[in-house]
Amino acid sequence: MIIGVGIDVAEIERFGAALGRTPQLAERLFLERELLLPGGERRGIASLAARFAAKEALAKALGAPGGLLWTDAEVCVEDSGRPRLEVRGTVAARAAELGVRSWHVSLSHDAGVASAVVIAEG
């Protein structure tokens, strides 16, 4: 059963400018391993913008309650390249309240826009 669906878009240039203006922003939004590609190189702005959109979409799928911590939702990458979500803390607690048992996430970026869709399933 679908418990919630969220979608979000982020303008890549605007997101990159925000990261440039506020260097601590990346640390507030992402875990260190989210900032890096599997090979250890720093992830590009388009990829980070898509991950930010996924976190926004996740919050929407949970009903956009206050008090969720950005770093309690992590966008991981399977060996196949498929993205997946891992949740903990505030996000896991809200998901448990709603009966969420699994997540589906899709990321994209093109033409200056990053987007994400998250489905919470119970």
Side-chain angles (χ1 to χ4, degrees), residues 21-81:
R21 279 191 314 274
T22 312
Q24 310 86 353
L25 182 59
E27 293 171 8
R28 288 197 314 250
L29 296 175
F30 305 107
L31 295 171
E32 182 65 29
R33 59 186 165 258
E34 288 180 288
L35 297 171
L36 302 174
L37 293 167
E41 305 88 25
R42 186 141 173 103
R43 196 173 288 283
I45 295 300
S47 179
L48 290 176
R51 279 156 174 73
F52 174 71
K55 292 179 183 215
E56 285 278 347
L58 170 68
K60 291 173 183 177
L62 293 175
L68 299 180
L69 297 177
W70 294 108
T71 53
D72 281 349
E74 179 180 359
V75 180
C76 303
V77 181
E78 295 179 357
D79 290 339
S80 66

Side-chain angles (χ1 to χ4, degrees), residues 59-117:
K60 291 173 183 177
L62 293 175
L68 299 180
L69 297 177
W70 294 108
T71 53
D72 281 349
E74 179 180 359
V75 180
C76 303
V77 181
E78 295 179 357
D79 290 339
S80 66
R82 180 181 180 179
R84 66 178 166 78
L85 291 170
E86 287 188 12
V87 300
R88 62 188 64 79
T90 59
V91 176
R94 175 62 176 166
E97 284 176 23
L98 296 174
V100 176
R101 287 192 245 155
S102 63
W103 301 98
H104 305 274
V105 60
S106 181
L107 309 175
S108 186
H109 48 80
D110 189 27
V113 177
S115 63
V117 174

